[in-house]
């Protein structure tokens, strides 16, 4: 059974969209999306420097566009026939489009508003996020709470991402939890999935009122608790609330295992989620779509592992 996943913020790198835009029809599709949301996706995806694409209001639409573009290059979702789809943080919006809950334009309109609202919330206080490598999750979570930090991403495979003020993150770097080898600052501009994002929830809820979600056509696995969600309205409600709540990617991977996953493909800019899967899902074949050069290998994986799983 194949799972199709989409990465979250921090996965972007300068120029990562360049090769994808060379594919037939890709530039026109991205130009239409850019016009629809008022953001030059092609410019930022090819010429934007690291600081420009770190901007939350730019990074989030760019990541969703890249995920949609690379998945379309792989094939129609009905032909890919994943047993389940999921996304990490903003990647949940990409996954909602994969599942047919939102069309591509609606997904990009929503993520544009999400990025702007989260950037505005992040500007109130200087905040950030750092990944903890190694250590026992229970020990790390207790240590983070002692420092006033939030375990904003519980990613599985021994990785937790802490979020909070820069002062709190500095204290973490100087006082790591027992067993943690390294604390790595992430390429994000705020303490996402924490109470610092509460103002963005209200704005996103207002934007969601204009949308008419459809029920997922394939199993949609939610960051909130790793559960499969069968209602489009509930998917949208969770997308809104998740902005200020922790990402439980560990539970998403547990659900993949329960569903019988045998292969996992991560859309562009892939790498982060396949890395986690290699450690947490032994025996599962993984592939990251980094450039169009990866498409042939991905198609072989699709041919070998595709097939739907009945929703509960």
């Amino acid at each position: 059974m194949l799972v199709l996943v989409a990465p979250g913020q921090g996965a972007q790198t300068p120029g990562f969209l360049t090769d994808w835009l060379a594919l037939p029809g890709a530039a026109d599709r991205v130009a239409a999306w850019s016009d629809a949301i008022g953001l030059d996706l092609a410019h930022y995806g090819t010429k934007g420097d690291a600081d420009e694409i770190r901007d939350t209001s730019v990074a989030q639409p760019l990541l969703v566009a890249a995920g949609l573009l690379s998945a379309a290059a792989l094939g129609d979702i009905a032909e890919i026939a994943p047993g389940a789809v999921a996304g990490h943080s903003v990647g949940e919006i990409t996954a909602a489009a994969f599942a047919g809950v939102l069309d591509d334009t609606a997904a990009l309109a929503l993520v544009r508003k999400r990025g702007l609202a989260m950037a505005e919330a992040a500007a109130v206080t200087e905040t950030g996020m750092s990944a903890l490598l190694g250590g026992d999750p229970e020990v790390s979570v207790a240590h983070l709470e002692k420092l006033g930090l939030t375990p904003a991403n519980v990613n599985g495979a021994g990785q937790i991402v802490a979020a909070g003020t820069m002062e709190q993150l500095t204290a973490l770097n100087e006082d790591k939890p027992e067993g943690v080898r390294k604390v790595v600052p992430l390429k994000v501009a705020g303490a996402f999935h924490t109470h610092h994002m509460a103002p963005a929830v209200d704005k996103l809820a207002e934007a969601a009122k204009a949308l008419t979600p459809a029920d997922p056509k394939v199993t949609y696995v939610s960051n909130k608790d790793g559960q499969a969600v069968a209602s489009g309205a509930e998917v949208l409600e969770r997308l809104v609330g998740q902005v200020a709540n922790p990402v439980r990617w560990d539970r998403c991977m547990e659900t993949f295992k329960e569903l019988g996953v045998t292969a996992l493909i991560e859309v562009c800019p892939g790498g982060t989620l396949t890395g986690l899967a290699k450690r947490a899902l032994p025996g599962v074949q993984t592939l990251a779509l980094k450039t169009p050069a990866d498409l042939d290998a991905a198609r072989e994986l699709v041919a070998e592992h595709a097939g739907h799983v009945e929703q509960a």
Side-chain angles (χ1 to χ4, degrees):
M1 188 272 281
L2 173 70
V3 173
L4 190 65
V5 299
Q9 201 165 337
Q12 72 276 9
T13 55
F16 76 103
L17 210 56
T18 302
D19 291 342
W20 294 100
L21 286 171
L23 296 177
D28 289 341
R29 177 174 293 191
V30 171
W33 290 340
S34 297
D35 288 343
I37 67 172
L39 183 72
D40 191 341
L41 295 163
H43 166 76
Y44 286 109
T46 59
K47 298 177 182 176
D49 63 27
D51 285 338
E52 287 179 305
I53 64 172
R54 182 175 174 268
D55 181 334
T56 303
S57 65
V58 171
Q60 293 193 11
L62 194 57
L63 285 163
V64 172
L68 296 175
L69 193 65
S70 57
L74 183 58
D76 184 87
I77 291 294
E79 295 172 358
I80 297 170
V85 298
H88 190 287
S89 187
V90 70
E92 284 207 289
I93 295 180
T94 317
F98 293 161
V101 175
L102 301 171
D103 64 35
D104 290 356
T105 303
L108 283 159
L110 181 64
V111 76
R112 176 62 168 151
K113 290 172 182 174
R114 182 186 193 268
L116 288 167
M118 290 175 73
E120 186 176 337
V124 174
T125 306
E126 191 178 4
T127 58
M129 304 176 79
S130 294
L132 278 61
L133 305 183
D136 178 87
E138 290 187 12
V139 172
S140 292
V141 167
H143 190 85
L144 293 179
E145 291 172 350
K146 184 182 74 174
L147 295 174
L149 289 157
T150 300
N153 301 164
V154 183
N155 287 332
Q159 188 191 94
I160 290 177
V161 174
T165 66
M166 299 311 293
E167 290 82 3
Q168 290 168 336
L169 290 169
T170 298
L172 171 64
N173 202 48
E174 295 170 353
D175 181 18
K176 293 187 275 291
E178 183 181 354
V180 170
R181 301 187 309 277
K182 194 174 182 183
V183 176
V184 182
L186 299 186
K187 294 179 287 185
V188 298
F192 306 142
H193 304 291
T194 72
H195 65 90
H196 292 284
M197 292 294 111
V201 173
D202 294 337
K203 293 193 174 183
L204 203 58
E206 190 63 31
K209 290 179 183 177
L211 301 176
T212 306
D215 291 340
K217 295 181 175 67
V218 299
T219 299
Y220 178 94
V221 181
S222 167
N223 280 183
K224 181 177 181 179
D225 49 16
Q227 295 300 303
V229 181
S231 159
E234 186 179 351
V235 169
L236 189 57
E237 182 182 337
R238 285 175 174 235
L239 287 175
V240 171
Q242 201 58 39
V243 166
N245 286 285
V247 171
R248 293 305 304 262
W249 191 252
D250 59 333
R251 292 181 178 170
C252 290
M253 290 195 292
E254 287 169 9
T255 297
F256 300 161
K257 189 183 298 184
E258 291 168 6
L259 290 170
V261 60
T262 54
L264 180 146
I265 293 176
E266 182 181 1
V267 297
C268 178
T272 302
L273 302 182
T274 48
L276 292 170
K278 284 174 183 175
R279 297 192 291 277
L281 300 170
V284 173
Q285 290 184 257
T286 62
L287 189 144
L289 283 175
K290 297 177 184 292
T291 74
D294 299 311
L295 286 169
D296 285 345
R299 292 185 183 112
E300 290 178 11
L301 212 58
V302 168
E304 185 178 351
H305 296 270
H308 291 288
V309 170
E310 293 296 323
Q311 291 195 36

